[in-house]
């Protein structure tokens, strides 16, 4: 393609984006906060696609090690894969909160302009960070590299300048949320959500400094990673679920709020000290065996409670609702969270087994099912809620035009991730036995396990199911752009009496 | 339908209070434990040796009483033949740690078992039998880091570490960091690991 042709294409694409943007801003079906939410959801979906693409590249390198060698090495692909994941999920959460903020508080968002500015600043920063990851990749062993290129700490690799930018953006978001609730109604959900956001943002600070001592480094690194996904993110999702159950099924506020408090008590009561399951082997004292083992073993309890709660509510309200895709993804969330985090997490959380599984494909198996099951699902449910409203609150229940598309996407995504999880589980067992138990974790032992036919077969199956996942992701993207277009039937009105007792 | 108020233990206010107390209590406990852990894992403390440990022979042996492996600190064995002061050692290890971060090692390897699973764990890399003999180990490690492609020992996997433009001073610093890391008491992880020079003990 000539440069000119390329420029023309880029200009046409940009014009298309601007047109889409203009029509979004003029959409009469959405409130100000909801328009902002759609912005967040759009970027989230794009980053989700990037996550899948770079996951495929990294996965291929297990099978063909010379693929993209010294062009896009495994560490680069993997970093983009997991960073895209963390960022798209956070975009989804921010968007979800902006989505229901006005509904929940009963007033317009205070300081919406700042929220809009923050969105563009954040998106600009994310773009720059990703370009630097891909084009510059690594630096010399100096502070400058950590400030400008990448911090080299899994999941929170973003360079320091971006960390500071993220904190500023999150503070703006927090101001929007707190000020809006303060002006309108302070519901139980509002209270839990606001306090949870303070904790979520505060924890990020624990990952923003450099230390020489790697034990101290990993101690605080786990504060960010664990206390995010096993405490504050879970509670944030609990708030989002509480609101969704009221809206989608008409569950009474008193019921969901009581459940929310129960879940907070169980989740924080087990998850905060459950942090100790990461302190078995990093130099930290032996008492973490007992504390980490005990409390993390309790972590599945709130996840069971959430399944019971959502299934009970869905049954009690006879599954009557007019957004089937969203409801399906909420059910996938309840089960996925329980399976991926609860069951898969529990299986390797006691130190007696973790001694052998720690840092093997076992962790990757759990990581995939937990992040997908707990957090990808609930975000996708929200994308469908947004699509429905944006298209004029149309019917999205049974006999949907092109209903095959959302169903196929859901099946491909869930089967794909489940298949990858099982493949990695097999690889993880094999690695734990051969590398760890038999060979004593030497480098030779590591490669003996990696070269074993069982391991290599598992890597091939992971790719097969990875492609299935990616196909599902692409179909989901397409469906979200199209679903509900041309639909004339209005969504059924959920009994508002039940929503506001 | 008339509203019957739920029993106390199922009421909203009861669970609200419980949530606040449980969260607050757990957090306070975590903060107290964190202070204690910080004390125990500061460099030079009981579990994480001072950086000048790189002047000594480090190994890893089975402790009969504890029934687990544990690092051991032996006689003088200065790295690259130079005995360093505590400050010099800290500076060198610090440079190594910074290089490890800037080169993004953790997205292929694990360190203390955390990171990525594409390449071997680095926790005890210094002690690995793959380096052949203690005498040539330091130089082999430096050579490997400077040109991993040419010095690759892929054990038949064909997985090669890429050239990360590591400079000679950075390579020595990384080796110092790895040696220091291998001396951390990791509660017996990895289990059953036989260190270089411990084969027939
Ligand atoms: C939605 C919630 C959860 C998510 C998203 C999640 C995700 C992850 C991820 C990605 C890792 C690997 C971290 C790394 O790269 O080193 C991990 C590790 C771990 N998770 Fe979870 N997890 C969740 C919940 C749980 C629960 C509830 C448990 C226990 C009951 C658990 C137990 C563990 C353990 C023991 C490890 C350490 C594995 C190792 O030693 O290598 N997780 N988790
Ligand atoms: C196209 C499908 C996908 C493929 C081929 C893929 C591949 C990979 C690969 C090769 C790694 C590196 C593992 C290692 O270090 O050995 C990885 C890590 C990871 N991926 Fe994926 N992935 C895919 C989709 C997903 C999805 C949908 C999620 C979650 C929503 C996810 C979450 C993660 C996480 C959390 C890690 C880090 C795990 C750990 O450190 O334990 N991936 N993935
Ligand atoms: Fe955890």
């Amino acid at each position: 393609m000539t440069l000119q042709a390329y420029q023309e294409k880029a200009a046409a694409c940009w014009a298309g984006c601007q047109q889409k943007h203009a029509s979004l801003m003029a959409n009469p079906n959405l409130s100000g906060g909801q328009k902002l939410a759609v912005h967040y959801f759009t970027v989230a979906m794009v980053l989700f696609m990037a996550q899948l693409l770079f996951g495929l590249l990294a996965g291929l390198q297990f099978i063909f090690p010379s693929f993209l060698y010294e062009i896009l090495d495994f560490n680069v692909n993997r970093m983009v894969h997991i960073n895209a994941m963390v960022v798209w999920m956070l975009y989804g959460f921010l968007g979800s909160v902006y989505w229901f903020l006005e509904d929940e508080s009963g007033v317009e968002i205070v300081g919406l302009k700042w929220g809009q500015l923050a969105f563009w600043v954040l998106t600009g920063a994310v773009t720059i960070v990703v370009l630097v990851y891909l084009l510059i990749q690594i630096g010399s062993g100096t502070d400058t590299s950590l400030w400008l290129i990448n911090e080299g700490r899994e999941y929170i690799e973003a360079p320091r300048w971006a960390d500071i930018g993220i904190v500023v953006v999150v503070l703006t978001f927090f101001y929007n949320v707190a000020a809006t609730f303060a002006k309108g109604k302070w519901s139980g959900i509002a209270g839990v959500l606001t306090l949870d956001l303070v904790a979520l943002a505060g924890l990020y600070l624990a990952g923003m400094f450099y230390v020489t001592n790697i034990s101290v480094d990993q101690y605080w690194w786990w504060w960010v990673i664990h206390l995010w996904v096993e405490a504050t993110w879970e509670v944030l999702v609990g708030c989002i679920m509480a609101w969704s159950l009221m809206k989608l099924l008409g569950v009474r506020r008193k019921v969901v709020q009581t459940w929310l408090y129960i879940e907070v008590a169980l989740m924080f009561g087990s998850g905060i000290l459950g942090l100790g399951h990461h302190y078995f082997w990093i130099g930290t004292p032996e008492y973490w065996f007992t504390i980490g083992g005990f409390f993390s073993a309790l972590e599945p309890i709130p996840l069971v409670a959430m399944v019971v709660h959502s299934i009970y509510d869905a049954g009690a309200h006879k599954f009557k609702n007019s957004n089937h895709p969203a409801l399906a993804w909420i059910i996938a969330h309840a089960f996925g969270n329980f399976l991926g985090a609860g069951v898969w997490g529990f299986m390797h959380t006691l130190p007696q087994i973790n001694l052998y599984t720690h840092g093997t494909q076992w962790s990757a198996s759990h990581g995939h099912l937990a992040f997908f099951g707990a957090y990808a699902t609930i975000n996708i449910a929200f994308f469908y809620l947004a699509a429905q409203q944006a298209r004029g609150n149309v019917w999205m229940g049974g006999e949907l035009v092109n209903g095959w598309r959302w169903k196929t996407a859901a099946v491909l995504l869930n089967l794909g991730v489940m298949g990858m999880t099982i493949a990695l589980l097999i690889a993880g067992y094999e690695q734990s036995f051969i590398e760890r138990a038999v060979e004593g974790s030497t480098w030779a032992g590591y490669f003996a396990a990696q070269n074993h036919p069982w391991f290599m077969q598992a890597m091939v199956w992971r790719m097969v199911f990875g492609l299935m996942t990616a196909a599902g992701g692409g179909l989901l993207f397409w469906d979200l752009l199209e679903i509900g277009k041309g639909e004339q039937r209005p969504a059924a009105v959920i009994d508002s009496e039940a929503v506001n007792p | 339908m008339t509203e019957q108020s739920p029993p106390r233990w199922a009421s909203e206010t009861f669970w609200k209070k419980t949530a606040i107390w449980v969260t607050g209590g757990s957090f306070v406990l975590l903060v107290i434990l964190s202070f204690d852990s910080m004390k125990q894992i500061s460099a030079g403390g009981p579990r994480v040796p001072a950086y000048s440990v790189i002047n000594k022979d480090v190994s890893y042996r089975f402790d009969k009483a504890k029934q687990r492996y544990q690092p051991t600190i032996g006689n003088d064995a200065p790295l690259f033949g130079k005995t360093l002061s505590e400050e010099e050692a800290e500076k060198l290890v610090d440079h190594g740690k910074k290089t490890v971060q800037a080169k993004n090692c953790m997205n292929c390897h694990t360190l203390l078992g955390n990171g990525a699973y594409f390449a071997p764990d680095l926790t005890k890399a210094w002690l690995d039998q793959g380096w052949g003999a203690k005498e040539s180990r330091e130089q082999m490690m430096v050579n490997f880091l400077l040109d991993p492609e040419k010095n690759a020992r892929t054990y038949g996997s064909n997985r090669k570490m890429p050239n990360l433009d590591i400079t000679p001073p950075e390579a020595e610093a990384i080796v110092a960091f790895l040696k220091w890391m291998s001396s951390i008491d990791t509660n017996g992880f990895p289990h059953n690991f036989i260190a270089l020079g411990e084969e027939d003990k």
Side-chain angles (χ1 to χ4, degrees):
Chain A
M1 193 157 42
T2 66
L3 187 64
Q4 203 197 344
Y6 181 78
Q7 280 170 339
E8 274 165 18
K9 245 204 154 89
C13 179
W14 180 239
C17 281
Q18 280 181 318
Q19 204 187 347
K20 275 239 155 58
H21 186 250
S23 75
L24 168 63
M25 294 316 281
N27 190 330
N29 303 314
L30 300 178
S31 70
Q34 291 178 334
K35 282 175 191 162
L36 184 53
V38 173
H39 280 82
Y40 274 105
F41 293 157
T42 310
V43 178
M45 270 311 284
V46 171
L47 287 170
F48 183 25
M49 296 302 111
Q51 183 202 357
L52 295 176
L53 172 67
F54 283 89
L56 289 174
L57 296 183
L60 270 173
Q61 287 171 322
F62 267 96
I63 304 172
F64 307 108
S66 49
F67 176 59
L68 293 177
Y69 179 70
E70 293 190 341
I71 300 163
L72 279 177
D73 283 311
F74 181 86
N75 60 344
V76 177
N77 292 326
R78 187 189 197 272
M79 171 168 64
V80 177
H81 177 59
I82 58 177
N83 277 214
M85 172 188 76
V86 172
V87 176
W88 85 255
M89 289 179 178
L90 284 173
Y91 264 70
F93 292 150
L94 261 63
S96 302
V97 173
Y98 276 127
W99 183 267
F100 68 68
L101 190 52
E102 284 155 318
D103 182 85
E104 185 64 15
S105 65
V107 293
E108 280 188 10
I109 291 178
V110 177
L112 183 63
K113 280 262 164 328
W114 291 105
Q116 285 162 341
L117 181 67
F119 166 81
W120 292 106
V121 170
L122 186 63
T123 305
V126 168
T127 313
I128 296 171
V129 168
V130 172
L131 286 176
V132 170
Y133 281 172
L134 290 174
L135 301 176
I136 303 185
Q137 303 183 351
I138 51 174
S140 59
T142 55
D143 287 319
T144 319
S145 301
L146 308 187
W147 272 89
L148 299 180
I149 302 171
N150 119 36
E151 255 181 80
R153 296 166 81 211
E154 196 191 2
Y155 302 108
I156 47 176
E157 288 93 344
R160 192 64 44 79
W161 73 264
D163 287 345
I164 295 170
I166 289 167
V167 170
V168 173
V169 168
V170 170
L171 286 176
T172 315
F173 170 65
F174 179 74
Y175 162 75
N176 284 155
V177 173
T180 307
F181 280 132
K183 191 172 163 202
K185 289 195 296 273
W186 270 107
S187 62
I189 296 178
V192 174
L193 179 67
T194 309
L195 290 176
D196 192 59
L197 287 175
V198 175
L200 200 155
L203 284 169
Y204 193 69
L205 300 177
M208 276 179 59
F209 59 93
Y210 167 85
V211 280
T212 310
N213 186 334
I214 189 159
S215 294
V216 174
D217 175 328
Q218 293 200 351
Y219 190 93
W220 297 111
W221 176 74
W222 277 119
W223 268 54
V224 188
I225 312 306
H226 172 103
L227 293 179
W228 264 11
V229 301
E230 285 166 65
T232 47
W233 284 28
E234 284 283 3
V235 167
L236 178 59
V237 162
C239 295
I240 294 175
M241 275 286 270
W243 183 84
S244 312
L245 287 172
M246 290 194 303
K247 287 292 140 175
L248 270 176
L249 294 166
V251 184
R252 277 168 42 232
R253 178 176 287 279
K254 210 172 177 57
V255 173
V256 294
Q257 285 192 172
T258 307
W259 265 108
L260 184 61
Y261 290 129
I262 295 176
E263 281 157 12
V264 171
L266 294 174
M267 201 66 237
F268 281 157
S270 59
I272 291 179
L273 290 169
L275 172 61
H277 65 178
H278 303 294
Y279 295 160
F280 300 152
W281 325 115
I282 63 166
T284 28
E286 284 172 40
Y287 52 69
W288 288 111
F289 281 155
T290 319
I291 296 169
F294 179 76
F295 284 96
S296 70
L298 299 179
E299 283 180 48
I301 295 173
L303 308 180
V304 177
M306 288 193 208
V307 175
V308 174
H309 170 199
S310 43
I311 297 303
Y312 174 81
D313 281 346
H317 294 265
K318 305 203 171 59
F319 285 87
K320 257 196 239 145
N321 88 100
S322 43
N323 192 331
H324 283 192
L327 186 66
W329 279 104
I330 280 183
I331 294 170
H333 162 78
F335 280 104
N337 198 6
F338 167 64
L339 266 185
V343 177
W344 254 250
F346 181 80
M347 283 201 282
H348 64 155
T349 203
L350 295 178
Q352 290 75 12
I353 182 70
N354 194 258
L355 175 58
Y356 299 96
T357 58
H358 178 49
T360 64
Q361 294 292 338
W362 224 114
S363 311
S365 174
H366 158 65
H368 277 86
L369 194 57
F371 264 112
F372 178 81
Y375 301 126
T377 48
I378 185 84
N379 272 315
I380 296 172
F382 245 81
F383 300 163
Y384 274 111
L385 284 181
Q388 181 179 36
Q389 184 70 30
R391 312 247 148 89
N393 201 17
V394 290
W395 175 258
M396 277 173 41
E399 285 132 48
L400 196 58
V401 190
N402 283 325
W404 65 272
R405 211 159 40 207
W406 77 262
K407 289 176 195 154
T408 315
V411 168
L412 288 176
L413 275 165
N414 284 291
L415 264 187
V417 172
M418 202 61 219
M420 284 199 292
T421 303
I422 300 292
L424 295 174
L425 184 70
I426 291 168
Y429 276 126
E430 186 270 347
Q431 196 183 351
S432 303
F433 277 104
I434 295 184
E435 174 194 329
R436 298 299 178 73
V438 179
E439 300 274 345
S441 307
T442 56
W443 284 31
Y446 171 85
F447 283 108
Q450 301 289 307
N451 293 336
H452 196 286
W454 288 346
F455 188 92
M456 290 316 297
Q457 281 160 13
M459 290 298 117
V460 172
W461 281 109
R462 186 258 298 275
M463 280 318 291
V464 172
F465 284 105
L467 285 167
M468 184 187 278
T469 309
L475 203 54
L476 170 71
F477 202 156
W478 181 26
D479 191 48
L480 283 168
L481 292 175
E482 292 296 321
I483 195 168
K485 277 192 186 161
E487 176 64 63
Q488 300 299 328
R489 292 168 291 175
V493 180
I494 304 270
D495 184 2
S496 61
E497 187 71 73
V499 177
N500 300 308
Chain B
M1 205 172 76
T2 51
E3 278 277 330
Q4 215 180 12
S5 67
R8 216 180 98 74
W9 54 267
S11 73
E12 199 176 333
T13 44
F14 171 79
W15 282 103
K16 185 174 179 175
K17 284 184 195 144
T18 309
I20 292 170
W21 280 103
V22 166
T23 306
S26 307
F27 187 68
V28 168
L29 254 168
L30 177 62
V31 169
I32 295 170
L33 290 167
S34 295
F35 271 107
D36 183 73
S37 291
M38 279 304 121
K39 218 162 55 201
Q40 295 207 42
I41 65 175
S42 61
R47 306 187 55 89
V48 178
Y51 300 107
S52 56
V53 75
I54 59 174
N55 293 325
K56 304 279 181 190
D57 183 54
V58 176
S59 196
Y60 193 58
R61 296 196 184 118
F62 192 69
D63 182 316
K64 280 232 171 68
K66 289 190 171 157
Q67 285 292 304
R68 63 168 171 85
Y69 282 77
Q70 224 177 353
T72 56
I73 317 290
N75 297 328
D76 287 348
L79 190 63
F80 304 112
K82 283 173 283 191
T83 304
L84 302 181
S85 69
E86 186 56 41
E87 293 80 63
E88 290 168 328
E90 173 163 3
K91 222 175 132 210
L92 189 63
V93 172
D94 181 69
H95 189 204
K97 169 75 162 23
K98 233 165 242 172
T99 310
V100 163
Q101 288 187 221
K103 300 296 178 189
N104 200 6
C105 306
M106 198 184 187
N107 268 309
C108 280
H109 294 274
T110 43
L111 296 99
L112 303 180
N114 293 312
Y117 322 118
F118 191 67
D121 184 42
L122 297 180
T123 310
K124 304 290 174 193
W126 168 256
L127 301 173
D128 202 87
Q129 291 179 29
W131 304 114
K134 281 190 173 180
E135 298 70 46
S136 47
R137 161 171 60 185
E138 293 161 22
Q139 203 49 51
M140 275 186 78
M141 290 178 91
V142 168
N143 292 348
F144 176 73
L145 290 168
L146 292 178
D147 191 351
E149 196 172 350
K150 233 198 328 298
N151 296 301
R153 300 160 299 149
T154 75
Y155 295 89
S157 71
N158 290 328
R159 254 184 249 168
K160 278 189 280 186
M161 179 162 144
N163 190 325
L164 299 170
D165 298 321
I166 294 170
T167 63
E170 285 174 346
E172 293 196 0
I174 292 173
V175 174
F177 169 73
L178 292 174
K179 183 173 181 183
W180 167 75
M181 183 164 65
S182 77
S183 75
I184 296 174
D185 184 351
T186 49
N187 285 339
F189 171 87
H191 182 62
N192 214 14
F193 175 91
I194 311 298
L196 183 64
E198 302 285 337
E199 294 84 353
D200 36 280
K201 286 182 188 146

